[in-house]
Amino acid sequence: MTRVASALFSRLVIIIPYAWLLFFFLIPFFIVFRISLSQTAVAMPPYTPVFDLFGGLSGIVEKAREFSFDNYVWLTEDVLYFNAYVSSVIIAAISTLLTLLIAYPIAYGMAKAPKTVRPTLLMLVILPFWTSFLIRVYAWIAILKPEGLLNQFLLATGVIDQPLIILNTNWAIYIGIVYSYLPFMVLPIYSSLEKMDHTLTEAALDLGCTPFTAFWRVTFPLSLAGVVAGCLLVFIPAVGEFVIPDLLGGSETLMIGKTLWNEFNANRDWPVSSAVATILLLILVLPIVYFQNAQAKADSEGR
Amino acid sequence: MSKLIVTTLAAVVLAGSTMLASAQERVVNVYNWSDYIDSSILEDFTKETGIKVVYDVFDSNEILETKLLAGGSGYDVVVPTATFLQRQIAAGVFQKLDKSKLPNLSNMWDVIMERTAKYDPGNEYAVDYMWGTTGIGYNVDKMKAILGTDAKPNWDVIFNPELAAKFKDCGIHILDSPTDVMPSALAYLGLNPDSHEAADLEKAADLLASIRPYVRKFHSSEYINALANGDICLAVGFSGDVFQARDRAAEAKAGVTVDYAIPSQGAQMWFDMFAIPADAQHVEEAHAFLNYMMKPEVVAKASNYVFYANGNKASQQFLDKAVLEDTAIYPSDEVMQKLFTVTPFEAKEQRVLTRLWTKVVTGQ
């Protein structure tokens, strides 16, 4: 009897992530996708055709005939959208790389720290989350602006004699993204480093590796799962980032989040903005799926 | 599964009971701009009418519009800006006002009513709460240092490249909104500020492109803090926002003085309008609220608090002198003649406008 109950329980547990995926990803995505196939209208909601799932099958089929891919064709006609996607991906990639370079040593140091200190260090990494994200981004304005804290400090110490123009440039965006997403990179790397078997590194050193080669050939490959998870956690939200480039970046920075905002709010074109969002999702999902498949294949071949 | 049914039932019962409660208790759900009313007005309204006010705030027309267009917002009174109001009326978002329930309409100011009728013919759907202009916010001391004069600035400091260049290092911000900036650029060029012609708009975009190198940022809210902190010298912004910056700068006592100028070449007017959504649940109460807000002494109290001009003529005798005699809030008749209104852009025209604007702002 208990065995049946536990089998049932484990099935229920498996259902939870799938239900989550269904309700919070697939259904919202299909709503967005459906709008992307419609046309704008001066109405509530501002697009046609609109059908409700309770309108009967024939009604749905009839409405479905009105759907068209015009909005996707439109996206190819103006180079603006392509440029916005490309520049978003580039900015996200550079930010992810910078975050990795900063986060890895932090995570490494945490994993090497004495066991008693680790919980405190972990706490310190999570601590900034207790303040509102928006307030932290605003604080960077005060730090980076021409008369800001950073420039005051550098001028006072004589490192520079002209204030650095950082605010409203892409550098400010990188700083904002790296700062905001750093914990998302540190935590997965830390967790993969922490559970690593340290005797492996010792063996590598005994067998004649220099400390650096031991790190590069043993420690780093073993932490790769954490690195990949961290990179995805930073890269994906960074591509669609809106708040950080809006507050810290310059007006000339073209990112897909802003383009989407313009389509949705300035042009009131929900269908085109939905098409922009759908394409963005494809740009993000396809490489991830490909990457995961490749990794799974490599894993099974390695064993 | 049965648990799900129980929860659903519980939710239904709960929803039913709140509906019952709302039938007994009179409520009006108001959705207004943040920092836009003296809260004692709401308390007085409840005391006088017994209607409870559920007050919620937003900070951009876009957020309001998205909620309204999606439908079922749950609000009974909302306050869109007139340019947004017009297209929302066309989309069927609002219901016509029942003027028999609004006797205080007689207090309204015909000068403002005439202008709001451009957006809402016959003023059938909405009534003005506050209004203002889109002009120039500036740092008084730095302006004097750069131009060497005490005179209030006009559009030359923004649209004349030679002058704008002088403010480059000091910092210029411009609203990131083509519908709020392009009409003024058109007016500066001597063209019709309300032109929707692509050729005219391109001329205005060229003008903006010529001063683009001197503009630090296009953003629709950051200039409030930036002006107040002395980070920038000039901003093309909404009168009310600049007054807010002026007050914050004065409170901070850090030696920054901010002021607002209505440019002599003319400026765009904006109107924030009370309207009732078509799907409002408490229509009776919404009318009672609107009628109350049109009482001269009530709306005067609001204006004295927020430092905006209102559309109520009868309220002017109750206004503080600091409000009524400030020509940046209540401009002289001569300046009033130069203020213009614009009609909204249709979807295709809007797309042309947004695209031109993106080109100005990002260079792409």
Side-chain angles (χ1 to χ4, degrees):
Chain A
M1 197 60 206
T2 46
R3 195 181 289 172
V4 174
S6 81
L8 197 70
F9 179 73
S10 62
R11 281 209 183 162
L12 275 176
V13 168
I14 294 171
I15 288 174
I16 293 171
Y18 280 103
W20 175 275
L21 199 69
L22 180 73
F23 284 110
F24 297 106
F25 177 75
L26 279 179
I27 292 178
F29 171 71
F30 273 110
I31 293 171
V32 170
F33 183 63
R34 198 194 64 192
I35 297 174
S36 79
L37 300 177
S38 329
Q39 264 77 49
T40 49
V42 182
M44 274 171 78
Y47 57 87
T48 55
V50 184
F51 63 74
D52 65 313
L53 292 172
F54 305 103
L57 191 64
S58 61
I60 292 176
V61 171
E62 199 171 300
K63 292 282 190 184
R65 284 213 191 99
E66 293 173 35
F67 284 136
S68 83
F69 283 91
D70 286 356
N71 296 316
Y72 291 91
V73 176
W74 168 260
L75 294 189
T76 63
E77 282 168 357
D78 190 337
V79 75
L80 173 78
Y81 303 98
F82 179 76
N83 290 344
Y85 283 121
V86 170
S87 97
S88 298
V89 167
I90 291 173
I91 287 176
I94 293 175
S95 315
T96 308
L97 189 71
L98 291 174
T99 314
L100 177 64
L101 290 177
I102 295 171
Y104 202 99
I106 295 176
Y108 191 80
M110 281 167 65
K112 290 283 174 215
K115 264 212 164 95
T116 46
V117 191
R118 284 184 206 167
T120 317
L121 292 175
L122 208 58
M123 194 66 184
L124 288 176
V125 170
I126 304 168
L127 204 64
F129 280 114
W130 292 12
T131 321
S132 153
F133 165 74
L134 212 53
I135 289 175
R136 284 182 285 135
V137 175
Y138 265 107
W140 276 105
I141 297 180
I143 296 172
L144 297 176
K145 67 185 186 184
E147 309 82 23
L149 296 173
L150 179 71
N151 275 314
Q152 279 177 13
F153 174 76
L154 292 176
L155 286 169
T157 51
V159 179
I160 51 171
D161 47 26
Q162 278 280 319
L164 297 172
I165 302 296
I166 304 174
L167 192 65
N168 300 329
T169 67
N170 278 5
W171 281 110
I173 301 180
Y174 298 141
I175 291 171
I177 294 179
V178 169
Y179 166 76
S180 304
Y181 291 108
L182 195 65
F184 294 108
M185 186 72 92
V186 171
L187 296 177
I189 298 178
Y190 165 75
S191 83
S192 65
L193 282 174
E194 196 217 9
K195 61 184 183 224
M196 209 183 80
D197 185 354
H198 289 288
T199 54
L200 291 171
T201 341
E202 281 168 24
L205 290 171
D206 283 348
L207 293 170
C209 271
T210 62
F212 180 74
T213 30
F215 167 78
W216 187 243
R217 297 187 60 182
V218 178
T219 311
F220 186 73
L222 285 172
S223 66
L224 209 55
V227 170
V228 169
C231 285
L232 290 180
L233 282 176
V234 174
F235 181 77
I236 294 170
V239 172
E241 186 54 63
F242 177 74
V243 175
I244 295 171
D246 186 54
L247 291 178
L248 299 178
S251 301
E252 65 284 345
T253 308
L254 188 65
M255 280 185 81
I256 203 65
K258 177 69 185 175
T259 310
L260 213 157
W261 193 98
N262 269 339
E263 287 301 338
F264 193 85
N265 287 319
N267 291 344
R268 253 155 296 128
D269 196 331
W270 291 21
V272 164
S273 54
S274 301
V276 171
T278 306
I279 297 288
L280 179 64
L281 191 80
L282 289 180
I283 289 177
L284 291 176
V285 162
L286 292 180
I288 293 166
V289 170
Y290 174 79
F291 189 82
Q292 284 211 323
N293 277 344
Q295 211 188 18
K297 221 182 240 175
D299 273 1
S300 61
E301 275 167 11
R303 270 168 204 155
Chain B
M1 207 58 205
S2 62
K3 229 177 199 173
L4 186 71
I5 294 167
V6 172
T7 350
T8 319
L9 274 178
V12 168
V13 171
L14 202 68
S17 65
T18 47
M19 271 156 87
L20 274 178
S22 62
Q24 289 155 1
E25 191 184 26
R26 299 184 76 199
V27 177
V28 60
N29 296 297
V30 180
Y31 197 38
N32 198 355
W33 292 81
S34 55
D35 272 337
Y36 214 24
I37 203 163
D38 181 343
S39 56
S40 70
I41 291 174
L42 304 177
E43 289 157 22
D44 292 346
F45 172 72
T46 306
K47 262 182 226 157
E48 192 174 307
T49 61
I51 300 170
K52 194 179 148 202
V53 183
V54 179
Y55 196 77
D56 199 1
V57 298
F58 57 89
D59 61 1
S60 79
N61 268 307
E62 285 80 10
I63 289 179
L64 172 65
E65 181 168 85
T66 305
K67 284 198 181 188
L68 290 174
L69 288 179
S73 65
Y75 296 112
D76 303 313
V77 175
V78 294
V79 194
T81 303
T83 40
F84 283 76
L85 174 92
Q86 179 167 37
R87 65 193 194 212
Q88 288 157 3
I89 292 173
V93 167
F94 300 117
Q95 55 181 280
K96 284 190 181 174
L97 300 176
D98 183 347
K99 291 188 178 172
S100 68
K101 289 173 185 157
L102 302 171
N104 287 339
L105 270 174
S106 60
N107 296 327
M108 296 306 285
W109 191 3
D110 53 347
V111 174
I112 297 300
M113 294 283 266
E114 262 167 42
R115 300 202 184 212
T116 57
K118 255 182 123 173
Y119 303 94
D120 169 20
N123 291 301
E124 300 259 22
Y125 290 89
V127 52
D128 182 60
Y129 176 44
M130 298 286 165
W131 62 272
T133 49
T134 306
I136 300 170
Y138 62 102
N139 184 314
V140 175
D141 300 326
K142 288 191 176 160
M143 177 67 61
K144 198 176 168 186
I146 290 171
L147 291 184
T149 154
D150 265 338
K152 286 203 163 200
N154 61 38
W155 285 128
D156 282 328
V157 294
I158 301 288
F159 293 130
N160 180 344
E162 281 168 34
L163 276 179
K166 294 184 181 174
F167 290 93
K168 184 187 182 220
D169 293 329
C170 190
I172 302 176
H173 272 205
I174 292 181
L175 289 170
D176 188 8
S177 163
T179 44
D180 289 311
V181 179
M182 291 289 251
S184 296
L186 287 167
Y188 181 78
L189 290 171
L191 298 165
N192 173 15
D194 195 18
S195 175
H196 292 196
E197 297 293 324
D200 288 348
L201 294 173
E202 267 167 43
K203 282 180 200 155
D206 287 344
L207 175 67
L208 279 156
S210 72
I211 55 129
R212 174 70 185 91
Y214 316 120
V215 178
R216 188 177 289 174
K217 195 159 185 177
F218 289 85
H219 198 279
S220 294
S221 58
E222 220 177 289
Y223 67 97
I224 305 173
N225 277 330
L227 270 178
N229 295 342
D231 296 340
I232 57 170
C233 284
L234 275 178
V236 176
F238 302 121
S239 49
D241 284 350
V242 177
F243 298 141
Q244 233 182 68
R246 179 176 72 182
D247 297 346
R248 281 188 206 171
E251 278 164 27
K253 294 196 176 90
V256 177
T257 325
V258 174
D259 208 351
Y260 177 76
I262 299 176
S264 55
Q265 294 96 333
Q268 190 176 342
M269 281 177 105
W270 52 261
F271 309 87
D272 286 340
M273 312 289 291
F274 282 128
I276 305 177
D279 53 8
Q281 298 283 322
H282 309 97
V283 177
E284 193 74 26
E285 288 81 358
H287 280 92
F289 183 78
L290 258 55
N291 197 45
Y292 185 80
M293 290 308 297
M294 283 187 281
K295 279 188 171 187
E297 58 277 18
V298 171
V299 75
K301 194 174 177 184
S303 276
N304 288 336
Y305 183 82
V306 297
F307 277 70
Y308 282 80
N310 62 55
N312 194 309
K313 182 76 181 167
S315 78
Q316 292 181 4
Q317 53 176 313
F318 300 104
L319 288 175
D320 290 344
K321 275 196 169 172
V323 174
L324 188 62
E325 289 175 5
D326 189 336
T327 51
I329 301 175
Y330 279 96
S332 64
D333 288 343
E334 185 200 358
V335 176
M336 279 293 267
Q337 297 302 317
K338 284 192 178 166
L339 300 180
F340 51 80
T341 51
V342 296
T343 49
F345 286 66
E346 279 171 29
K348 273 187 187 156
E349 298 168 336
Q350 178 73 40
R351 193 163 268 294
V352 171
L353 183 69
T354 309
R355 190 65 190 87
L356 280 171
W357 186 253
T358 305
K359 187 142 192 255
V360 167
V361 172
T362 67
Q364 299 207 36

